[in-house]
Amino acid sequence: MGIPERQVSSTASSRIYDTLRQDLINGRFTAGEKVAISALKERYAIGLSPLREALNRLAAHGLLIQENQRGFRVPSLERSELDDIAEMRRELEGMALERAIRLGDAEWESELLAAAHRLKRADMAPDKVEEWEHFHACFHRTLVAPCGSAWLLRFIAQLHDQFDRYRRMAPEAPEVRRVLDAQHGELVELALERDIKSARALMDDHIQRSYQVALQGVLSSA
Amino acid sequence: MGIPERQVSSTASSRIYDTLRQDLINGRFTAGEKVAISALKERYAIGLSPLREALNRLAAHGLLIQENQRGFRVPSLERSELDDIAEMRRELEGMALERAIRLGDAEWESELLAAAHRLKRADMAPDKVEEWEHFHACFHRTLVAPCGSAWLLRFIAQLHDQFDRYRRMAPEAPEVRRVLDAQHGELVELALERDIKSARALMDDHIQRSYQVALQGVLSSA
DNA sequence: TAATTAATAATAATCGATTGTTTCGGCTAG
DNA sequence: CTAGCCGAAACAATCGATTATTATTAATTA
């Protein structure tokens, strides 16, 4: 009753894919280590076939490295790669934000306000981090959603996954965190005012600061 | 010999992946149709497991659409999607070309000249199209190769796959083809002269013309 | 001793069979 | 007629076992 929901059915493949994706982003695997497939099989209590299908997908997304006849490895964390990812985020999210501000309608404004509010209210306490991360990802996705390009959004999502691998590895930086949180609100304001130039500049600064935080993770573990 | 050879071993998975990728790009599957897995199994004489792993990878790359419990479908060809892909190509390849011209060294210049020459000499006769396509892809890859961003190159490669699905569906246009071929040579000249502005403009025009050609494929089949 | 090869263990990849879900055609009730 | 409900057939997903390849260790030789 109620909603005639589609998408009720999932598969073991896609469930383990989601789980592994989260665990990879959250750094629950040591960077650079080889993935022991049969160990995963036990750890997640899943069959080999769906597991291997998920690993193949993750490799295609760049969250794993696949080498013929020798399985999968977790990509190592390299400063040069973080630089690349951050730089691409600046370029692509800047582009997307500009377009979103041009194309976004009233409905977008509402959803953006809602997403920002959810994020602001979310707690960052250790046991609530997952929830905060969810709202944070949602906010950034909503911000650029009406950019008009499915491919641009796809690339940005991929870059976020990569970036978060680094960010979550980094030590906390409360004072930067406060600035970043404030910027979320400011981004909404500028978006509503349709101030493209300032919004892009702020987004650039936002990513740059996040980058600085994430960088500590690479530097400390190197 | 200097280089220790790599990639000697392949797997059934990656072989069928390469084959299917080519066949999808070449339009050997009807756009929008459901993929009959067991039919592919026969057609390519391959087991279910490697086949499914390949399909999962292709879906992650955007060359197939995966729906839980109902297998895989070949994406349909939509004008709006072609517009998106072409626009993204303009943005990303323009960006990459600019950086490549800034960063490319003498070795790059040599490889670029070589790639352009191979392409020029390649025959476009029906039975040699595969070879021409190979050299064409190589040329464009070489052109932007030293841009310094692995992620940018990855995105561009993905867009090329998508774009080519449309282009190869389109009817031949010999007079546009001549212009496009000439532009390859001009792109090399401008790159060697390090004329960033003109090179970007020409690349933009090149993609725009290719887009016009590819568009005929969508319009005629619609 | 160091290098090379042979034997063995570990594990990645693949196969064949089974299970579970969706689709489709006919049937029935309203 | 038409909407809804079986049951059968088709097909996607998954499992358990097997094969092929790589990694490790021991043995052998220069």
Side-chain angles (χ1 to χ4, degrees):
Chain A
M1 55 175 278
I3 312 135
E5 270 302 335
R6 205 86 172 106
Q7 176 59 26
V8 263
S9 52
S10 78
T11 60
S13 264
S14 49
R15 278 194 304 274
I16 190 65
Y17 171 84
D18 289 334
T19 307
L20 285 174
R21 175 173 160 274
Q22 284 300 330
D23 288 356
L24 281 163
I25 293 172
N26 288 336
R28 280 199 256 277
F29 293 90
T30 313
E33 93 180 337
K34 208 167 122 28
V35 174
I37 302 188
S38 57
L40 289 192
K41 186 174 115 84
E42 309 300 324
R43 176 165 161 190
Y44 294 98
I46 191 115
L48 268 181
S49 313
L51 180 56
R52 284 189 59 87
E53 289 188 13
L55 294 175
N56 269 279
R57 283 199 242 175
L58 288 164
H61 270 286
L63 281 170
L64 284 176
I65 295 166
Q66 184 167 24
E67 283 165 314
N68 282 342
Q69 309 288 12
R70 65 195 71 164
F72 299 83
R73 289 186 306 109
V74 182
S76 54
L77 300 166
E78 306 288 346
R79 191 201 160 131
S80 61
E81 225 219 346
L82 177 58
D83 291 354
D84 184 6
I85 293 162
E87 169 68 7
M88 276 301 123
R89 272 196 65 190
R90 274 194 293 273
E91 290 280 4
L92 300 196
E93 282 191 70
M95 191 190 303
L97 179 58
E98 174 163 344
R99 292 174 187 210
I101 291 177
R102 284 223 163 77
L103 298 172
D105 58 9
E107 178 54 26
W108 172 58
E109 297 181 352
S110 312
E111 283 172 17
L112 190 52
L113 280 165
H117 190 71
R118 277 185 217 108
L119 175 57
K120 200 169 168 183
R121 284 307 183 94
D123 200 343
M124 269 195 93
D127 57 325
K128 302 270 187 168
V129 164
E130 286 308 309
E131 204 178 301
W132 184 89
E133 290 286 351
H134 170 73
F135 287 134
H136 183 240
C138 271
F139 171 74
H140 277 282
R141 206 173 329 115
T142 306
L143 192 56
V144 295
C147 76
S149 167
W151 282 96
L152 186 50
L153 292 176
R154 191 181 174 120
F155 295 149
I156 288 172
Q158 218 172 332
L159 289 170
H160 265 268
D161 278 0
Q162 294 294 328
F163 190 86
D164 285 357
R165 262 191 92 218
Y166 287 84
R167 181 171 56 77
R168 299 221 199 171
M169 196 63 60
E172 292 198 25
E175 61 293 347
V176 187
R177 184 73 266 155
R178 251 187 311 271
V179 177
L180 291 170
D181 284 341
Q183 288 183 332
H184 291 143
E186 294 164 33
L187 278 166
V188 175
E189 283 175 38
L190 292 173
L192 296 188
E193 292 166 17
R194 311 281 163 170
D195 186 343
I196 291 175
K197 205 142 194 285
S198 307
R200 266 197 94 143
L202 180 56
M203 178 64 99
D204 232 71
D205 186 69
H206 186 68
I207 296 171
Q208 183 59 25
R209 281 175 203 268
S210 303
Y211 162 73
Q212 293 293 349
V213 173
L215 192 54
Q216 297 310 311
V218 189
L219 297 180
S220 64
S221 72
Chain B
M1 308 280 258
I3 308 143
E5 59 190 273
R6 192 87 188 95
Q7 183 62 28
V8 264
S9 51
S10 80
T11 61
S13 265
S14 50
R15 278 195 303 274
I16 191 64
Y17 170 83
D18 289 335
T19 306
L20 286 173
R21 175 173 159 273
Q22 283 301 329
D23 288 357
L24 281 162
I25 292 172
N26 289 335
R28 280 199 256 276
F29 293 90
T30 312
E33 93 181 336
K34 210 167 119 30
V35 174
I37 301 188
S38 57
L40 289 193
K41 185 174 117 81
E42 309 300 324
R43 177 165 160 190
Y44 294 98
I46 191 116
L48 269 181
S49 313
L51 181 55
R52 285 189 58 88
E53 289 187 12
L55 294 175
N56 270 278
R57 283 199 243 174
L58 288 163
H61 269 286
L63 281 169
L64 285 175
I65 296 166
Q66 183 166 25
E67 284 166 312
N68 282 343
Q69 308 288 11
R70 68 194 69 160
F72 299 83
R73 289 186 307 109
V74 181
S76 53
L77 299 166
E78 307 287 346
R79 191 201 161 131
S80 60
E81 224 219 347
L82 178 59
D83 291 355
D84 184 6
I85 292 162
E87 168 69 7
M88 276 301 124
R89 272 197 64 191
R90 273 194 294 274
E91 290 280 4
L92 300 196
E93 283 191 71
M95 194 189 302
L97 180 58
E98 175 163 343
R99 292 175 187 209
I101 291 177
R102 284 222 163 79
L103 297 172
D105 59 9
E107 177 56 26
W108 172 59
E109 296 180 354
S110 312
E111 283 171 18
L112 190 52
L113 279 165
H117 190 71
R118 276 185 217 108
L119 175 57
K120 199 168 168 185
R121 285 307 184 95
D123 200 344
M124 270 195 92
D127 57 325
K128 302 270 187 164
V129 164
E130 285 308 308
E131 204 178 300
W132 184 88
E133 289 286 351
H134 170 73
F135 286 133
H136 184 240
C138 272
F139 170 75
H140 277 282
R141 210 177 322 120
T142 305
L143 193 56
V144 295
C147 76
S149 167
W151 282 97
L152 185 51
L153 292 176
R154 190 181 175 122
F155 295 150
I156 288 172
Q158 218 172 334
L159 288 169
H160 265 269
D161 278 0
Q162 294 293 328
F163 190 86
D164 285 356
R165 262 192 91 218
Y166 287 84
R167 182 171 56 76
R168 298 220 198 171
M169 195 63 60
E172 292 197 25
E175 61 293 345
V176 188
R177 184 72 268 156
R178 250 186 313 270
V179 177
L180 291 170
D181 284 340
Q183 288 184 331
H184 292 142
E186 294 164 32
L187 278 166
V188 174
E189 282 175 39
L190 292 173
L192 295 188
E193 291 166 17
R194 312 281 163 169
D195 185 342
I196 291 174
K197 204 142 195 280
S198 307
R200 266 196 95 142
L202 181 55
M203 179 63 100
D204 232 71
D205 187 68
H206 186 69
I207 295 171
Q208 183 60 27
R209 281 175 204 267
S210 303
Y211 162 73
Q212 293 293 347
V213 173
L215 193 54
Q216 297 310 310
V218 189
L219 297 180
S220 64
S221 71

